[in-house]
Amino acid sequence: MKKMGNSFSQWIERQVPPGLDWWTEVKWAVSGLAVGALWSLVAFFYQFSNACRRLYDWVGGKSVLVESRTIDPFPELLVQAMAGLLLGMLLTIPLACYHYAYYYLGSRSIYVMRRLPDRWELWRRCLMVPVLLAAVCLLAIELLTFGYFLVFLLVTPDPCLPQEPWQQLLYALGGGRI
Amino acid sequence: MIEIKNLSKSYGKKDALLDVNLTLSQGEIVGLFGENGAGKTTLLKCVLGYLRHQGTVTLDGEPITRSNIQRLSFATCEHSFFPALSPAGHRDFYRMHFPRWREKRFQGLMDFFELPMDRPAGKLSTGQKNQLEVILALCQGADYILMDEPFAGNDVFNREDFYKVLLGILEPTETVLLSTHLLEEVEHFIGRAVLLRQGRVVGDVTTEELEDSGRTLMDYVKETYRYRSDRVRKALSELTGEEER
Protein backbone atom coordinates (compact mmCIF):
# COMPACT_ATOMS: atom_id res chain seq x y z
CA MET A 1 0.00 0.00 0.00
CA LYS A 2 2.85 2.29 1.00
CA LYS A 3 4.66 1.36 -2.23
CA MET A 4 1.55 2.22 -4.21
CA GLY A 5 1.33 5.57 -2.40
CA ASN A 6 4.95 6.27 -3.26
CA SER A 7 4.53 5.46 -6.92
CA PHE A 8 1.38 7.63 -7.02
CA SER A 9 3.23 10.58 -5.50
CA GLN A 10 6.13 10.04 -7.91
CA TRP A 11 3.70 9.91 -10.80
CA ILE A 12 1.73 12.98 -9.81
CA GLU A 13 4.91 14.96 -9.15
CA ARG A 14 5.65 14.56 -12.84
CA GLN A 15 2.21 15.80 -13.85
CA VAL A 16 2.34 19.16 -12.08
CA PRO A 17 4.75 22.10 -12.30
CA PRO A 18 8.04 21.19 -10.56
CA GLY A 19 7.95 22.00 -6.86
CA LEU A 20 4.22 22.67 -6.81
CA ASP A 21 2.42 21.64 -3.63
CA TRP A 22 0.29 19.01 -5.35
CA TRP A 23 -0.85 17.49 -2.07
CA THR A 24 -2.78 20.67 -1.20
CA GLU A 25 -4.35 20.62 -4.65
CA VAL A 26 -5.40 16.99 -4.21
CA LYS A 27 -6.89 17.77 -0.79
CA TRP A 28 -8.88 20.69 -2.23
CA ALA A 29 -10.01 18.58 -5.16
CA VAL A 30 -11.20 15.69 -2.96
CA SER A 31 -12.96 18.09 -0.59
CA GLY A 32 -14.59 19.91 -3.50
CA LEU A 33 -15.71 16.65 -5.00
CA ALA A 34 -17.20 15.51 -1.68
CA VAL A 35 -19.05 18.80 -1.19
CA GLY A 36 -20.27 18.74 -4.81
CA ALA A 37 -21.53 15.17 -4.43
CA LEU A 38 -23.19 15.93 -1.10
CA TRP A 39 -24.89 18.99 -2.56
CA SER A 40 -26.04 16.83 -5.44
CA LEU A 41 -27.57 14.22 -3.13
CA VAL A 42 -29.40 16.82 -1.06
CA ALA A 43 -30.66 18.73 -4.12
CA PHE A 44 -31.82 15.62 -5.98
CA PHE A 45 -33.62 14.02 -3.06
CA TYR A 46 -35.28 17.32 -2.18
CA GLN A 47 -36.62 17.68 -5.74
CA PHE A 48 -37.50 14.04 -6.01
CA SER A 49 -39.40 13.94 -2.73
CA ASN A 50 -41.35 17.04 -3.77
CA ALA A 51 -42.14 15.43 -7.12
CA CYS A 52 -43.31 12.25 -5.37
CA ARG A 53 -45.46 14.25 -2.99
CA ARG A 54 -47.25 15.83 -5.91
CA LEU A 55 -48.41 12.37 -7.02
CA TYR A 56 -50.57 12.08 -3.90
CA ASP A 57 -53.68 13.86 -2.71
CA TRP A 58 -54.94 14.11 0.83
CA VAL A 59 -58.30 12.44 1.09
CA GLY A 60 -59.87 12.20 4.49
CA GLY A 61 -56.62 12.66 6.28
CA LYS A 62 -54.94 10.00 4.15
CA SER A 63 -52.43 10.31 1.39
CA VAL A 64 -53.79 8.67 -1.76
CA LEU A 65 -51.91 8.03 -4.97
CA VAL A 66 -53.46 9.67 -8.01
CA GLU A 67 -52.60 7.13 -10.66
CA SER A 68 -53.45 9.43 -13.53
CA ARG A 69 -50.61 11.71 -12.58
CA THR A 70 -47.13 11.38 -14.04
CA ILE A 71 -44.04 12.24 -12.09
CA ASP A 72 -41.93 15.18 -13.26
CA PRO A 73 -39.55 14.26 -16.07
CA PHE A 74 -36.30 12.81 -14.70
CA PRO A 75 -34.01 15.48 -16.23
CA GLU A 76 -35.99 18.19 -14.45
CA LEU A 77 -35.19 16.59 -11.11
CA LEU A 78 -31.53 17.09 -11.81
CA VAL A 79 -31.78 20.86 -12.15
CA GLN A 80 -29.38 22.28 -9.52
CA ALA A 81 -28.33 18.81 -8.39
CA MET A 82 -25.18 18.91 -10.48
CA ALA A 83 -24.35 22.56 -9.86
CA GLY A 84 -21.51 21.80 -7.42
CA LEU A 85 -19.84 19.28 -9.69
CA LEU A 86 -20.28 21.53 -12.73
CA LEU A 87 -18.68 24.34 -10.77
CA GLY A 88 -15.84 21.94 -9.94
CA MET A 89 -15.42 21.25 -13.64
CA LEU A 90 -15.34 24.96 -14.41
CA LEU A 91 -12.78 25.58 -11.68
CA THR A 92 -10.32 23.35 -13.48
CA ILE A 93 -9.92 26.17 -16.04
CA PRO A 94 -8.44 28.67 -13.55
CA LEU A 95 -6.43 25.78 -12.09
CA ALA A 96 -4.81 25.20 -15.49
CA CYS A 97 -4.16 28.94 -15.76
CA TYR A 98 -2.55 28.89 -12.32
CA HIS A 99 -0.32 26.00 -13.35
CA TYR A 100 0.86 28.05 -16.32
CA ALA A 101 1.27 31.23 -14.26
CA TYR A 102 3.35 29.19 -11.78
CA TYR A 103 6.24 29.39 -14.24
CA TYR A 104 6.22 33.18 -13.86
CA LEU A 105 5.89 33.29 -10.07
CA GLY A 106 9.03 34.11 -8.12
CA SER A 107 11.24 33.47 -11.15
CA ARG A 108 10.97 32.85 -14.87
CA SER A 109 11.15 29.08 -14.82
CA ILE A 110 9.21 29.24 -18.09
CA TYR A 111 12.63 29.71 -19.71
CA VAL A 112 13.65 26.23 -18.61
CA MET A 113 10.35 24.72 -19.64
CA ARG A 114 10.68 26.23 -23.09
CA ARG A 115 14.15 24.76 -23.44
CA LEU A 116 13.13 21.18 -22.73
CA PRO A 117 13.56 18.72 -25.57
CA ASP A 118 10.05 17.36 -24.94
CA ARG A 119 7.74 20.05 -26.31
CA TRP A 120 4.70 18.61 -24.49
CA GLU A 121 6.25 18.65 -21.03
CA LEU A 122 5.10 22.20 -20.30
CA TRP A 123 1.53 21.59 -21.43
CA ARG A 124 1.33 18.20 -19.74
CA ARG A 125 2.38 19.73 -16.44
CA CYS A 126 -0.17 22.55 -16.87
CA LEU A 127 -3.13 20.52 -18.07
CA MET A 128 -2.88 16.93 -16.84
CA VAL A 129 -4.30 17.45 -13.34
CA PRO A 130 -7.05 19.92 -14.41
CA VAL A 131 -8.13 17.58 -17.20
CA LEU A 132 -8.13 14.59 -14.84
CA LEU A 133 -10.16 16.53 -12.28
CA ALA A 134 -12.64 17.62 -14.94
CA ALA A 135 -12.92 14.00 -16.06
CA VAL A 136 -13.50 12.83 -12.48
CA CYS A 137 -16.23 15.47 -12.06
CA LEU A 138 -17.83 14.37 -15.32
CA LEU A 139 -17.66 10.73 -14.28
CA ALA A 140 -19.20 11.60 -10.91
CA ILE A 141 -22.01 13.47 -12.68
CA GLU A 142 -22.75 10.51 -14.94
CA LEU A 143 -22.57 7.95 -12.11
CA LEU A 144 -24.79 10.02 -9.86
CA THR A 145 -27.22 10.57 -12.72
CA PHE A 146 -27.39 6.84 -13.27
CA GLY A 147 -27.80 6.19 -9.55
CA TYR A 148 -30.55 8.78 -9.28
CA PHE A 149 -32.28 7.25 -12.24
CA LEU A 150 -32.35 3.86 -10.52
CA VAL A 151 -33.90 5.52 -7.46
CA PHE A 152 -36.37 7.31 -9.77
CA LEU A 153 -37.28 4.04 -11.43
CA LEU A 154 -37.58 1.97 -8.27
CA VAL A 155 -39.26 4.44 -5.95
CA THR A 156 -41.77 6.07 -8.31
CA PRO A 157 -45.04 4.15 -8.32
CA ASP A 158 -45.34 2.28 -11.65
CA PRO A 159 -48.51 3.98 -12.86
CA CYS A 160 -46.88 7.39 -12.44
CA LEU A 161 -43.71 6.64 -14.40
CA PRO A 162 -43.37 8.30 -17.79
CA GLN A 163 -43.86 6.15 -20.86
CA GLU A 164 -40.25 5.86 -21.93
CA PRO A 165 -38.14 6.55 -18.85
CA TRP A 166 -34.89 5.21 -20.38
CA GLN A 167 -34.99 7.92 -23.02
CA GLN A 168 -35.07 10.45 -20.24
CA LEU A 169 -31.99 8.83 -18.75
CA LEU A 170 -30.14 9.12 -22.05
CA TYR A 171 -31.23 12.73 -22.32
CA ALA A 172 -29.97 13.41 -18.79
CA LEU A 173 -26.68 11.57 -19.35
CA GLY A 174 -26.18 13.72 -22.42
CA GLY A 175 -26.36 16.78 -20.22
CA GLY A 176 -30.02 17.65 -20.77
CA ARG A 177 -31.49 20.04 -18.17
CA ILE A 178 -28.38 20.00 -15.99
CA MET B 1 28.58 27.61 -34.30
CA ILE B 2 25.77 30.06 -33.60
CA GLU B 3 25.14 32.38 -36.50
CA ILE B 4 22.95 35.43 -36.10
CA LYS B 5 21.97 37.10 -39.36
CA ASN B 6 20.13 40.39 -39.80
CA LEU B 7 18.42 40.03 -36.45
CA SER B 8 15.94 42.79 -35.69
CA LYS B 9 13.44 43.09 -32.90
CA SER B 10 11.13 45.92 -32.03
CA TYR B 11 8.76 46.58 -29.16
CA GLY B 12 5.98 48.59 -30.75
CA LYS B 13 7.67 51.47 -32.53
CA LYS B 14 10.89 51.16 -30.55
CA ASP B 15 13.70 49.20 -32.16
CA ALA B 16 15.38 47.00 -29.57
CA LEU B 17 17.72 45.30 -32.05
CA LEU B 18 18.56 46.46 -35.52
CA ASP B 19 20.16 44.25 -38.11
CA VAL B 20 22.46 42.40 -35.73
CA ASN B 21 24.96 40.04 -37.32
CA LEU B 22 27.11 37.92 -35.06
CA THR B 23 28.88 34.58 -35.09
CA LEU B 24 29.80 32.56 -32.02
CA SER B 25 32.26 29.78 -32.61
CA GLN B 26 32.55 26.79 -30.32
CA GLY B 27 34.94 27.27 -27.43
CA GLU B 28 34.74 31.06 -27.32
CA ILE B 29 34.09 33.07 -24.20
CA VAL B 30 32.41 36.24 -25.36
CA GLY B 31 31.46 39.26 -23.30
CA LEU B 32 28.38 41.18 -24.41
CA PHE B 33 28.49 44.77 -23.27
CA GLY B 34 26.27 47.80 -23.58
CA GLU B 35 24.46 50.35 -21.48
CA ASN B 36 21.01 49.68 -20.05
CA GLY B 37 18.53 49.26 -22.88
CA ALA B 38 21.22 48.53 -25.45
CA GLY B 39 19.51 45.25 -26.33
CA LYS B 40 21.72 42.69 -24.57
CA THR B 41 18.91 40.78 -22.89
CA THR B 42 16.72 41.01 -25.98
CA LEU B 43 19.52 39.56 -28.09
CA LEU B 44 19.98 36.59 -25.76
CA LYS B 45 16.25 35.95 -25.63
CA CYS B 46 15.99 36.10 -29.42
CA VAL B 47 18.81 33.58 -29.75
CA LEU B 48 16.96 31.26 -27.39
CA GLY B 49 13.74 31.74 -29.33
CA TYR B 50 11.90 33.30 -26.39
CA LEU B 51 11.06 36.39 -28.44
CA ARG B 52 9.68 36.68 -31.94
CA HIS B 53 12.07 38.50 -34.20
CA GLN B 54 13.12 39.13 -37.75
CA GLY B 55 16.25 37.61 -39.20
CA THR B 56 17.70 34.18 -38.55
CA VAL B 57 19.55 32.42 -35.77
CA THR B 58 21.12 29.08 -36.63
CA LEU B 59 23.04 26.50 -34.65
CA ASP B 60 25.50 24.62 -36.84
CA GLY B 61 23.46 25.68 -39.84
CA GLU B 62 20.12 24.50 -38.43
CA PRO B 63 17.39 26.72 -37.03
CA ILE B 64 17.06 26.46 -33.26
CA THR B 65 14.13 24.19 -32.49
CA ARG B 66 13.15 21.68 -29.83
CA SER B 67 15.49 19.17 -31.39
CA ASN B 68 18.63 21.18 -30.72
CA ILE B 69 17.68 23.76 -28.10
CA GLN B 70 19.08 21.57 -25.33
CA ARG B 71 22.50 22.52 -26.69
CA LEU B 72 21.81 25.99 -25.30
CA SER B 73 21.50 26.88 -21.63
CA PHE B 74 20.58 30.17 -20.04
CA ALA B 75 21.40 31.78 -16.72
CA THR B 76 19.55 35.01 -16.09
CA CYS B 77 19.39 37.56 -13.29
CA GLU B 78 15.60 37.11 -13.50
CA HIS B 79 16.31 33.50 -12.42
CA SER B 80 14.88 30.55 -14.22
CA PHE B 81 14.92 27.95 -11.45
CA PHE B 82 11.76 26.66 -9.79
CA PRO B 83 11.48 28.61 -6.51
CA ALA B 84 9.75 25.83 -4.58
CA LEU B 85 12.16 23.14 -5.72
CA SER B 86 15.40 22.40 -3.88
CA PRO B 87 18.75 22.10 -5.66
CA ALA B 88 18.41 18.31 -5.28
CA GLY B 89 14.97 18.53 -6.91
CA HIS B 90 16.47 20.58 -9.73
CA ARG B 91 19.17 17.98 -10.20
CA ASP B 92 16.53 15.25 -10.55
CA PHE B 93 14.47 17.36 -12.95
CA TYR B 94 17.41 18.31 -15.15
CA ARG B 95 18.75 14.76 -15.09
CA MET B 96 15.39 13.52 -16.31
CA HIS B 97 15.13 16.03 -19.17
CA PHE B 98 18.65 16.78 -20.28
CA PRO B 99 20.51 13.62 -21.27
CA ARG B 100 23.87 15.38 -21.15
CA TRP B 101 23.43 16.56 -17.55
CA ARG B 102 26.82 16.90 -15.82
CA GLU B 103 26.38 15.20 -12.47
CA LYS B 104 29.99 15.41 -11.34
CA ARG B 105 30.26 19.09 -12.19
CA PHE B 106 27.01 19.80 -10.35
CA GLN B 107 28.16 18.05 -7.21
CA GLY B 108 31.53 19.74 -7.36
CA LEU B 109 30.08 23.23 -7.77
CA MET B 110 27.44 22.69 -5.09
CA ASP B 111 30.18 21.63 -2.68
CA PHE B 112 32.47 24.48 -3.69
CA PHE B 113 29.82 27.13 -3.10
CA GLU B 114 28.47 25.28 -0.07
CA LEU B 115 24.90 25.50 -1.25
CA PRO B 116 22.31 23.60 0.77
CA MET B 117 20.96 20.71 -1.25
CA ASP B 118 17.52 20.51 0.34
CA ARG B 119 16.42 24.11 0.84
CA PRO B 120 13.89 25.45 -1.71
CA ALA B 121 15.68 27.64 -4.25
CA GLY B 122 13.37 30.56 -3.49
CA LYS B 123 14.56 30.58 0.12
CA LEU B 124 18.25 30.88 -0.70
CA SER B 125 20.03 34.24 -0.35
CA THR B 126 20.33 36.41 -3.48
CA GLY B 127 23.95 35.39 -3.95
CA GLN B 128 23.12 31.71 -3.55
CA LYS B 129 20.22 32.03 -5.99
CA ASN B 130 22.59 33.45 -8.59
CA GLN B 131 25.06 30.67 -7.91
CA LEU B 132 22.41 28.01 -8.33
CA GLU B 133 21.20 29.68 -11.52
CA VAL B 134 24.68 29.61 -13.03
CA ILE B 135 25.43 26.11 -11.76
CA LEU B 136 22.31 24.76 -13.47
CA ALA B 137 23.24 26.48 -16.73
CA LEU B 138 26.76 25.07 -16.54
CA CYS B 139 25.61 21.55 -15.72
CA GLN B 140 22.78 21.18 -18.22
CA GLY B 141 25.27 19.74 -20.68
CA ALA B 142 24.85 22.56 -23.19
CA ASP B 143 27.47 23.55 -25.74
CA TYR B 144 26.44 27.22 -25.63
CA ILE B 145 25.92 28.82 -22.25
CA LEU B 146 24.18 32.18 -22.38
CA MET B 147 24.36 34.32 -19.28
CA ASP B 148 22.51 37.56 -18.67
CA GLU B 149 23.96 39.54 -15.76
CA PRO B 150 24.18 36.34 -13.76
CA PHE B 151 26.08 37.83 -10.84
CA ALA B 152 23.88 40.86 -10.12
CA GLY B 153 23.75 40.94 -6.33
CA ASN B 154 26.84 38.84 -5.67
CA ASP B 155 29.80 40.34 -3.85
CA VAL B 156 33.07 40.87 -5.67
CA PHE B 157 34.88 37.92 -4.04
CA ASN B 158 32.07 35.64 -4.94
CA ARG B 159 32.11 36.78 -8.55
CA GLU B 160 35.85 36.38 -8.81
CA ASP B 161 35.62 32.86 -7.43
CA PHE B 162 33.08 32.08 -10.04
CA TYR B 163 35.15 33.38 -12.93
CA LYS B 164 38.09 31.30 -11.77
CA VAL B 165 36.02 28.17 -11.35
CA LEU B 166 34.40 28.79 -14.70
CA LEU B 167 37.71 29.07 -16.47
CA GLY B 168 38.87 25.92 -14.73
CA ILE B 169 35.91 23.72 -15.57
CA LEU B 170 34.89 24.78 -19.06
CA GLU B 171 35.73 22.27 -21.74
CA PRO B 172 37.20 23.45 -25.07
CA THR B 173 33.90 22.84 -26.84
CA GLU B 174 31.84 24.93 -24.43
CA THR B 175 30.98 28.46 -25.48
CA VAL B 176 29.95 31.22 -23.10
CA LEU B 177 28.14 34.40 -24.08
CA LEU B 178 28.16 36.60 -21.02
CA SER B 179 26.16 39.80 -20.86
CA THR B 180 27.37 42.07 -18.09
CA HIS B 181 28.22 45.61 -17.01
CA LEU B 182 31.28 44.48 -15.10
CA LEU B 183 33.78 45.27 -17.83
CA GLU B 184 36.97 45.30 -15.82
CA GLU B 185 36.08 42.20 -13.85
CA VAL B 186 35.58 40.00 -16.88
CA GLU B 187 38.33 41.48 -19.02
CA HIS B 188 40.78 38.70 -18.19
CA PHE B 189 38.18 36.04 -18.37
CA ILE B 190 36.74 36.63 -21.85
CA GLY B 191 38.41 36.13 -25.21
CA ARG B 192 36.23 38.48 -27.18
CA ALA B 193 34.06 41.50 -26.52
CA VAL B 194 30.94 42.50 -28.43
CA LEU B 195 29.54 45.97 -27.85
CA LEU B 196 25.91 46.84 -28.37
CA ARG B 197 24.52 50.33 -28.57
CA GLN B 198 20.91 51.20 -29.26
CA GLY B 199 20.30 47.74 -30.64
CA ARG B 200 23.26 47.68 -33.03
CA VAL B 201 26.59 45.94 -32.80
CA VAL B 202 29.06 48.82 -32.59
CA GLY B 203 32.15 46.88 -31.62
CA ASP B 204 33.53 43.37 -31.88
CA VAL B 205 37.09 42.75 -30.78
CA THR B 206 39.19 39.91 -29.40
CA THR B 207 41.22 40.49 -26.25
CA GLU B 208 44.26 39.46 -28.30
CA GLU B 209 43.66 42.39 -30.65
CA LEU B 210 43.27 44.66 -27.66
CA GLU B 211 46.55 43.47 -26.16
CA ASP B 212 48.33 43.93 -29.47
CA SER B 213 47.10 47.50 -29.69
CA GLY B 214 48.03 48.17 -26.06
CA ARG B 215 44.51 49.13 -25.05
CA THR B 216 42.35 47.88 -22.24
CA LEU B 217 38.79 46.79 -22.72
CA MET B 218 37.65 49.93 -20.94
CA ASP B 219 39.67 52.08 -23.39
CA TYR B 220 38.06 50.27 -26.27
CA VAL B 221 34.56 50.71 -24.87
CA LYS B 222 35.07 54.42 -24.19
CA GLU B 223 36.52 54.89 -27.65
CA THR B 224 33.70 53.03 -29.33
CA TYR B 225 31.05 54.85 -27.35
CA ARG B 226 32.87 58.16 -27.92
CA TYR B 227 32.84 58.65 -24.18
CA ARG B 228 33.33 62.30 -23.25
CA SER B 229 35.59 62.35 -20.24
CA ASP B 230 34.82 66.00 -19.49
CA ARG B 231 31.08 65.27 -19.29
CA VAL B 232 31.00 64.78 -15.52
CA ARG B 233 33.11 67.86 -14.80
CA LYS B 234 30.84 70.01 -16.98
CA ALA B 235 27.68 68.65 -15.41
CA LEU B 236 29.02 69.25 -11.91
CA SER B 237 30.00 72.79 -12.67
CA GLU B 238 26.55 73.45 -14.12
CA LEU B 239 24.84 71.91 -11.13
CA THR B 240 26.90 73.73 -8.54
CA GLY B 241 26.91 76.97 -10.50
CA GLU B 242 30.70 77.22 -10.38
CA GLU B 243 32.44 78.81 -13.32
CA GLU B 244 34.92 76.70 -15.15
CA ARG B 245 38.37 77.83 -14.43
Side-chain angles (χ1 to χ4, degrees):
Chain A
M1 192 70 186
K2 197 177 175 184
K3 205 174 172 184
M4 215 169 90
N6 278 345
S7 53
F8 172 73
S9 61
Q10 277 171 5
W11 177 82
I12 201 163
E13 262 173 29
R14 290 178 189 172
Q15 316 305 322
V16 296
L20 184 93
D21 181 8
W22 57 267
W23 180 236
T24 304
E25 272 188 16
V26 167
K27 279 194 285 188
W28 275 100
V30 170
S31 310
L33 210 63
V35 170
L38 194 67
W39 166 269
S40 172
L41 284 166
V42 171
F44 172 75
F45 282 106
Y46 176 75
Q47 302 235 37
F48 182 57
S49 60
N50 280 344
C52 286
R53 211 169 295 132
R54 283 193 290 273
L55 299 175
Y56 294 84
D57 271 346
W58 283 96
V59 180
K62 270 185 163 184
S63 164
V64 179
L65 179 71
V66 183
E67 293 192 354
S68 60
R69 287 184 190 161
T70 308
I71 193 165
D72 293 348
F74 175 67
E76 278 182 20
L77 302 177
L78 297 179
V79 174
Q80 292 181 1
M82 300 304 176
L85 290 166
L86 280 173
L87 182 68
M89 271 181 87
L90 285 176
L91 284 176
T92 59
I93 297 169
L95 180 66
C97 295
Y98 167 68
H99 282 182
Y100 186 75
Y102 178 86
Y103 297 108
Y104 292 87
L105 297 174
S107 73
R108 291 286 180 274
S109 49
I110 189 74
Y111 294 152
V112 174
M113 297 308 287
R114 289 182 63 182
R115 233 172 38 244
L116 298 178
D118 180 0
R119 68 167 66 243
W120 301 113
E121 185 73 15
L122 170 65
W123 299 112
R124 194 167 51 78
R125 286 186 183 253
C126 288
L127 297 175
M128 179 64 94
V129 169
V131 167
L132 279 180
L133 286 176
V136 168
C137 286
L138 189 64
L139 187 69
I141 287 173
E142 302 292 85
L143 285 175
L144 283 171
T145 302
F146 192 74
Y148 295 154
F149 183 73
L150 290 181
V151 172
F152 174 80
L153 216 54
L154 295 173
V155 176
T156 309
D158 284 347
C160 303
L161 276 170
Q163 279 194 340
E164 288 174 328
W166 289 95
Q167 274 192 351
Q168 292 191 359
L169 171 68
L170 292 177
Y171 180 66
L173 286 175
R177 286 298 176 99
I178 287 181
Chain B
M1 181 167 71
I2 290 183
E3 223 173 341
I4 301 165
K5 280 185 190 166
N6 308 321
L7 184 68
S8 295
K9 166 74 189 168
S10 54
Y11 295 108
K13 285 180 181 173
K14 190 183 179 296
D15 289 323
L17 291 173
L18 215 62
D19 211 24
V20 171
N21 289 285
L22 201 64
T23 302
L24 298 174
S25 302
Q26 239 177 344
E28 278 191 304
I29 301 180
V30 182
L32 183 63
F33 306 103
E35 70 262 271
N36 290 334
K40 303 185 295 292
T41 302
T42 303
L43 176 61
L44 296 181
K45 287 183 181 173
C46 285
V47 170
L48 287 154
Y50 296 156
L51 296 175
R52 286 185 184 184
H53 55 80
Q54 288 174 305
T56 56
V57 181
T58 55
L59 176 57
D60 292 339
E62 299 288 328
I64 295 171
T65 60
R66 288 280 179 173
S67 63
N68 59 3
I69 196 157
Q70 56 181 309
R71 291 184 60 201
L72 271 60
S73 68
F74 186 42
T76 163
C77 55
E78 291 177 277
H79 297 145
S80 60
F81 51 67
F82 303 100
L85 204 62
S86 66
H90 280 87
R91 178 197 55 205
D92 298 343
F93 180 82
Y94 272 69
R95 200 160 43 192
M96 195 194 309
H97 292 286
F98 296 105
R100 292 169 63 197
W101 168 253
R102 294 171 181 271
E103 183 70 40
K104 201 175 158 195
R105 184 184 280 186
F106 177 76
Q107 201 54 55
L109 289 170
M110 288 296 291
D111 290 344
F112 180 79
F113 289 104
E114 296 173 344
L115 291 184
M117 208 51 140
D118 295 316
R119 193 182 303 167
K123 291 193 173 156
L124 299 174
S125 70
T126 307
Q128 288 177 323
K129 283 177 187 171
N130 291 342
Q131 285 165 349
L132 178 65
E133 179 75 15
V134 177
I135 289 172
L136 292 171
L138 286 172
C139 298
Q140 184 193 302
D143 296 321
Y144 295 86
I145 300 157
L146 278 56
M147 298 192 192
D148 184 21
E149 300 279 2
F151 304 115
N154 281 61
D155 62 63
V156 64
F157 305 110
N158 210 299
R159 294 198 296 262
E160 204 168 312
D161 277 355
F162 226 117
Y163 300 137
K164 285 176 188 165
V165 169
L166 208 53
L167 276 180
I169 62 166
L170 282 179
E171 288 178 7
T173 52
E174 286 178 288
T175 307
V176 174
L177 178 59
L178 173 67
S179 150
T180 180
H181 288 107
L182 307 168
L183 275 176
E184 281 150 325
E185 265 185 36
V186 299
E187 184 170 8
H188 304 292
F189 160 71
I190 59 172
R192 179 180 159 201
V194 173
L195 270 58
L196 276 181
R197 189 177 202 191
Q198 291 171 355
R200 294 169 195 269
V201 175
V202 290
D204 190 348
V205 68
T206 63
T207 44
E208 221 168 55
E209 287 169 333
L210 283 177
E211 277 170 29
D212 289 347
S213 64
R215 290 176 298 175
T216 64
L217 181 57
M218 186 57 94
D219 294 335
Y220 178 74
V221 170
K222 284 180 176 174
E223 202 176 285
T224 310
Y225 279 177
R226 295 191 188 90
Y227 179 74
R228 289 178 292 132
S229 52
D230 61 340
R231 191 168 151 255
V232 175
R233 191 166 48 80
K234 273 187 181 168
L236 281 176
S237 66
E238 275 172 26
L239 285 169
T240 55
E242 280 180 21
E243 290 294 317
E244 275 188 60
R245 286 172 197 157

